[in-house]
Amino acid sequence: MINWLDNRTGIRHLLSAVLFEKIPGGSRWRYVWGSTLTFTFFVQVVTGIILWMAYSPSVQTAWESVFYIQYEMSSGWLLRGVHHYTAQAMTILLVLHLMQVIIDGAYRAPREINFWFGIALLNLVLALSLTGYLLPWDQKGYWATKVTTSLMAATPIIGPGLEKLVVGGAEYGHHTLTRFFAFHAGVLPAAVVALIAGHIYLFRRHGITPKQPLRKPDAMFWPDQVLKDAVACLAVFATILLFVLKGKLYGDGHLGAPAEPTEPYAAARPEWYFLFLFQFLKYFPGEREIYGTLVIPGAVMGLICLMPFIGRWRVGHFFNIFVMVLLLGGIGVLTYLAVNEDRKNPEYVQAAAAANRAAERVKTLAQAPTGIPVEGAVALLRNDPLTQGPKLFAIHCASCHRYAGRDGLGTVPGDEPSAADLKGFASREWLTKLISIDHITSDAFFGKTAFSEGKMAKFVERKVAQFDGTEKEQLRKAIIALSAEARLPQQADMDQAESSLIEEGKNHLLNDIGCADCHEFHFEDEDATGPDLTGYGSKEWLTAMIGNPTHERFYGDKNDRMPAFATEGILNSSQISLLADWLRNDWYEPEALAATAEWCTPKWEQPQIRETKPSAPYTLVSCRICCWAAPRRKFNPRMSNGRLRSRHSKRKTRRIPFSQAACSSSGVPASACGNPFRPTFPKPKSSTEASAVPRSLTASTLQTGSSFPTHRSPSSCMPATTTLPRVRTPRQS
């Protein structure tokens, strides 16, 4: 067979020419850099092709497909990690190879063209890194690439046109991504292959330039040098795998938040091997920028290309070595200065921390049961109260209010607050401090508002301060009842466990404490002068309050400076909803799926039974099992035209089969299940039918298999961010 193949291809002669080349002075470790570079490029090609199979280059699917590769595809994190770190290893290996060539004098005649090929390969590898940085379409890649390409506009005459050609138009978008992908996966690799072929051909034509003097006898390329090359390649690959495993261990997927062109990003920085240029440009501001982007880098590159001619003489050779050492030393110093300045820059540190939080947050949202919406992952953060709430608060509320003494984003404003601190609003702790003589007129509550001299403050100072032990206990229960109106997620368990205490507190609030003298609470009162306390702190109450505090339901003409954000068009309904959810700590968290019952607590649609709580087996057993058993939503942009598809997770915590048995195993019939993936039950056809339904359910009713009452909506087993339509009470009707 071998003879047949050799007769038709001449493979023996080819292998003999490749392997049995004489190496002057024998094999040496300093000759391994070229082989390691060829090996790393081969690794890049293989991993790149596999990643290409799952990558989708568009602004709506690029980040999503990278997320799928990193967190969903089998061994995708390994492939992407190897591809990522091998790209950085190639840059280091190219510099080492370049230094070895210059020190050994392998750039001098007749090897000038081969040396220039190597310089071209170095620039192509850097171009590959630059184009690949944008492909995940995350914030850091988007903004870093935008800064880099904007430097093209500084080129005289052709600059603006060149930038427009690369970007694909006046603005960054789909064409920018597809052009960078075409360069990264097609044009540049083809150019690298061509230059490598020419580089190897010229290398074999002129042979190895040995380090003089020769210390060993000549040897063949096989097996001595091949063994050293193989060991070096394995060492490089082992180092790459070490970094990949370290990133996996510490959860570093090298994937930021999805690119958001309208969102400022102060943490934009290039990769570490471009930081020296980023720092260098700081010394050439304004009109002098062209010297830092073109003139000086061009002169340095020209000097490197002239080294084969300068190095003809012994002095010139040492001059070339000195230039390279000086150049690499300067690059190292500039890189250190860039890192050190960022470390000492509080604005950058804060921006980088915010970017990391956004990156982790979007990954959490993408792994939620609802998964990534078809609009793209950027919609996850746009609709996330935890992400948007602090920003809205800092812009529109922090001029008067504070959130834990800060502006919501962690910064302490320079001016003094003039309204209440809203951290923990409507919680038991917050209300306890509010109705306290030590706090109600402090700066954290009414101290700098017109209400510091109002009826509420006087009521606390004159009456509450004189409460005896019995009245203080009644006040405590009333506070618990009022806080329960908000249905705060963090208090869901306590509210459910203390339902009887809440009912008792409502009676105290209406009849004993005196709150009903000024406020409405589940009944109409034409003489009420204070805000309505029905549903106080709830999503509906807070949204309406932010939208129009001058409404008669709230402060009316007694409103103290607070804008009507909805009525005046300052915020839209979506923004107000996000702000209200954030103030209520009402956002998705993965541990809330199992740790709290609020995620699955049914929302009551009829006002006359809205205070009724379901029995323990339903709330704590059945719903929790259903939520744990619900299939996770997966998003694969390469499948089903980008639509969502669902499949069961392989995690141990979700191996419960999604079936009727999941509910019936806890003694609860499937018809009583409130899982959002099951068919929901019809709403009551009339108020008469609803009023005829019993006000409560017992565990025995559920366990006997009776049908679920029609007055309850099982469709409420949804995440906390789901907004149900408001139901008007008979009093409001």
Side-chain angles (χ1 to χ4, degrees):
M1 177 61 74
I2 296 178
N3 293 332
W4 180 86
L5 186 62
D6 178 62
N7 184 44
R8 286 155 178 79
T9 61
I11 189 172
R12 282 187 174 136
H13 176 73
L14 179 63
L15 290 176
S16 177
V18 170
L19 297 177
F20 297 100
E21 179 189 13
K22 184 178 292 187
I23 301 177
S27 63
R28 305 184 70 171
W29 287 106
R30 65 190 306 133
Y31 299 152
V32 302
W33 305 120
S35 298
T36 55
L37 279 168
T38 305
F39 168 75
T40 52
F41 179 71
F42 173 77
V43 171
Q44 288 294 82
V45 171
V46 173
T47 56
I49 291 175
I50 300 175
L51 292 173
W52 192 347
M53 296 177 184
Y55 179 71
S56 179
S58 76
V59 296
Q60 192 174 355
T61 58
W63 188 95
E64 292 77 1
S65 58
V66 174
F67 176 85
Y68 173 77
I69 293 170
Q70 184 70 31
Y71 297 102
E72 304 292 345
M73 190 173 77
S74 298
S75 302
W77 62 272
L78 179 62
L79 286 169
R80 185 166 174 264
V82 169
H83 194 78
H84 173 80
Y85 285 108
T86 304
Q88 303 188 39
M90 286 188 69
T91 303
I92 298 174
L93 293 173
L94 273 167
V95 173
L96 293 174
H97 186 46
L98 177 63
M99 287 301 300
Q100 179 254 322
V101 167
I102 292 177
I103 291 173
D104 288 352
Y107 61 96
R108 293 182 286 193
R111 298 175 177 83
E112 301 96 334
I113 295 179
N114 205 22
F115 177 73
W116 294 334
F117 272 27
I119 298 300
L121 280 170
L122 174 61
N123 286 278
L124 286 177
V125 169
L126 293 176
L128 279 168
S129 300
L130 178 64
T131 54
Y133 201 48
L134 179 68
L135 298 187
W137 201 248
D138 57 0
Q139 281 282 71
K140 61 180 181 180
Y142 175 88
W143 289 101
T145 306
K146 191 170 185 177
V147 172
T148 304
T149 54
S150 65
L151 298 177
M152 296 180 181
T155 306
I157 304 175
I158 64 172
L162 182 62
E163 181 187 19
K164 188 174 182 180
L165 177 65
V166 172
V167 172
E171 299 292 336
Y172 276 66
H174 176 75
H175 290 294
T176 309
L177 185 59
T178 54
R179 293 189 183 198
F180 269 68
F181 180 68
F183 275 103
H184 185 77
V187 177
L188 294 177
V192 170
V193 170
L195 284 177
I196 288 178
H199 193 72
I200 293 176
Y201 167 75
L202 292 175
F203 167 74
R204 299 305 299 269
R205 175 180 174 83
H206 300 297
I208 293 177
T209 303
K211 179 67 176 178
Q212 299 294 337
L214 301 178
R215 298 179 180 179
K216 296 181 181 180
D218 296 351
M220 292 296 177
F221 183 70
W222 172 271
D224 296 344
Q225 190 61 46
V226 171
L227 178 61
K228 287 182 171 62
D229 290 349
V231 171
C233 291
L234 288 175
V236 170
F237 193 65
T239 305
I240 292 171
L241 287 179
L242 181 64
F243 278 97
V244 174
L245 294 175
K246 179 182 176 182
K248 179 66 174 179
L249 180 63
Y250 289 97
D252 186 4
H254 301 285
L255 183 62
E260 177 60 275
T262 61
E263 190 76 22
Y265 189 76
R269 294 292 185 274
E271 279 283 18
W272 61 269
Y273 39 80
F274 285 125
L275 276 178
F276 77 94
L277 184 60
F278 174 78
Q279 181 69 20
F280 185 67
L281 292 176
K282 295 180 181 179
Y283 305 116
F284 299 92
E287 296 180 355
R288 295 186 299 167
E289 187 180 50
I290 189 173
Y291 293 100
T293 57
L294 290 177
V295 177
I296 297 178
V300 172
M301 191 58 63
L303 178 62
I304 293 175
C305 291
L306 290 175
M307 282 183 176
F309 305 105
I310 299 174
R312 290 179 178 179
W313 302 277
R314 182 178 180 84
V315 175
H317 175 63
F318 285 109
F319 172 79
N320 290 338
I321 296 176
F322 172 76
V323 168
M324 289 304 301
V325 172
L326 184 65
L327 180 61
L328 293 178
I331 291 174
V333 171
L334 289 173
T335 302
Y336 169 78
L337 290 175
V339 174
N340 192 51
E341 286 184 12
D342 286 342
R343 188 184 297 116
K344 295 180 179 180
N345 185 350
E347 294 182 359
Y348 171 77
V349 172
Q350 184 177 356
N356 291 334
R357 288 195 301 268
E360 292 302 318
R361 180 61 181 167
V362 74
K363 294 169 190 174
T364 299
L365 295 173
Q367 293 173 329
T370 52
I372 301 175
V374 293
E375 295 87 354
V378 70
L380 292 173
L381 292 180
R382 287 175 179 173
N383 300 322
D384 178 38
L386 183 57
T387 302
Q388 301 301 329
K391 299 175 184 177
L392 294 170
F393 185 89
I395 296 173
H396 300 285
C397 307
S399 58
C400 298
H401 293 278
R402 293 293 181 269
Y403 189 86
R406 301 178 181 271
D407 66 349
L409 295 175
T411 303
V412 179
D415 55 343
E416 293 294 326
S418 59
D421 191 309
L422 299 180
K423 170 67 173 178
F425 174 75
S427 66
R428 299 182 181 186
E429 295 78 8
W430 193 88
L431 289 173
T432 300
K433 289 184 178 180
L434 173 64
I435 312 177
S436 167
I437 190 172
D438 297 327
H439 295 91
I440 188 168
T441 56
S442 67
D443 292 348
F445 292 95
F446 289 167
K448 295 186 177 181
T449 68
F451 304 119
S452 61
E453 301 295 332
K455 292 183 179 180
M456 180 73 176
K458 294 179 180 178
F459 170 78
V460 173
E461 292 174 352
R462 297 175 183 177
K463 188 174 181 180
V464 174
Q466 304 299 323
F467 278 0
D468 56 21
T470 302
E471 290 173 322
K472 289 181 179 179
E473 180 63 17
Q474 293 175 351
L475 178 61
R476 186 185 71 84
K477 295 178 180 179
I479 289 174
I480 293 175
L482 183 58
S483 180
E485 293 287 310
R487 296 183 179 273
L488 298 176
Q490 68 270 24
Q491 293 184 175
D493 290 337
M494 290 190 295
D495 290 345
Q496 182 177 357
E498 299 175 351
S499 58
S500 59
L501 187 64
I502 292 172
E503 292 296 330
E504 187 178 349
K506 288 181 179 180
N507 293 328
H508 293 313
L509 194 149
L510 286 170
N511 303 315
D512 302 321
I513 302 301
C515 298
D517 295 342
C518 299
H519 299 275
E520 292 184 359
F521 188 67
H522 293 279
F523 66 91
E524 290 185 350
D525 185 358
E526 296 180 355
D527 298 328
T529 59
D532 183 6
L533 297 183
T534 305
Y536 176 82
S538 64
K539 174 66 176 293
E540 183 276 329
W541 189 95
L542 193 55
T543 301
M545 171 66 180
I546 297 173
N548 186 14
T550 62
H551 190 275
E552 61 180 6
R553 180 184 175 188
F554 302 108
Y555 291 109
D557 56 3
K558 298 179 182 179
N559 178 54
D560 181 21
R561 297 166 294 156
M562 182 173 175
F565 287 97
T567 305
E568 298 176 13
I570 301 174
L571 297 175
N572 58 39
S573 59
S574 176
Q575 292 172 321
I576 294 176
S577 177
L578 291 170
L579 181 58
D581 282 336
W582 177 68
L583 290 173
R584 288 168 35 80
N585 289 347
D586 195 355
W587 56 75
Y588 171 77
E589 289 292 350
E591 57 268 20
L593 196 63
T596 69
E598 176 65 16
W599 198 86
C600 288
T601 301
K603 308 295 190 295
W604 305 92
E605 293 193 353
Q606 294 300 320
Q608 59 267 35
I609 50 90
R610 62 182 175 181
E611 299 171 3
T612 305
K613 301 293 181 181
S615 59
Y618 174 79
T619 303
L620 299 179
V621 179
S622 174
C623 275
R624 181 175 297 181
I625 290 179
C626 292
C627 292
W628 279 101
R632 296 177 62 200
R633 292 282 186 171
K634 305 291 182 181
F635 182 82
N636 185 351
R638 302 282 293 186
M639 301 180 65
S640 305
N641 297 323
R643 295 180 180 179
L644 289 171
R645 66 184 181 92
S646 60
R647 62 182 175 89
H648 289 289
S649 172
K650 296 180 180 179
R651 297 181 180 178
K652 293 182 179 180
T653 54
R654 293 180 179 268
R655 284 183 178 174
I656 302 175
F658 181 58
S659 64
Q660 180 174 346
C663 290
S664 59
S665 62
S666 61
V668 181
S671 59
C673 176
N675 194 291
F677 299 99
R678 292 186 180 275
T680 58
F681 289 84
K683 298 179 180 179
K685 298 179 181 179
S686 64
S687 59
T688 304
E689 178 183 343
S691 61
V693 178
R695 291 176 55 89
S696 63
L697 290 175
T698 62
S700 59
T701 303
L702 291 173
Q703 292 172 355
T704 54
S706 59
S707 60
F708 197 74
T710 56
H711 71 278
R712 183 177 297 174
S713 174
S715 62
S716 61
C717 187
M718 298 291 286
T721 54
T722 302
T723 304
L724 296 178
R726 179 190 173 192
V727 179
R728 298 183 64 86
T729 65
R731 176 179 59 81
Q732 293 169 333
S733 301

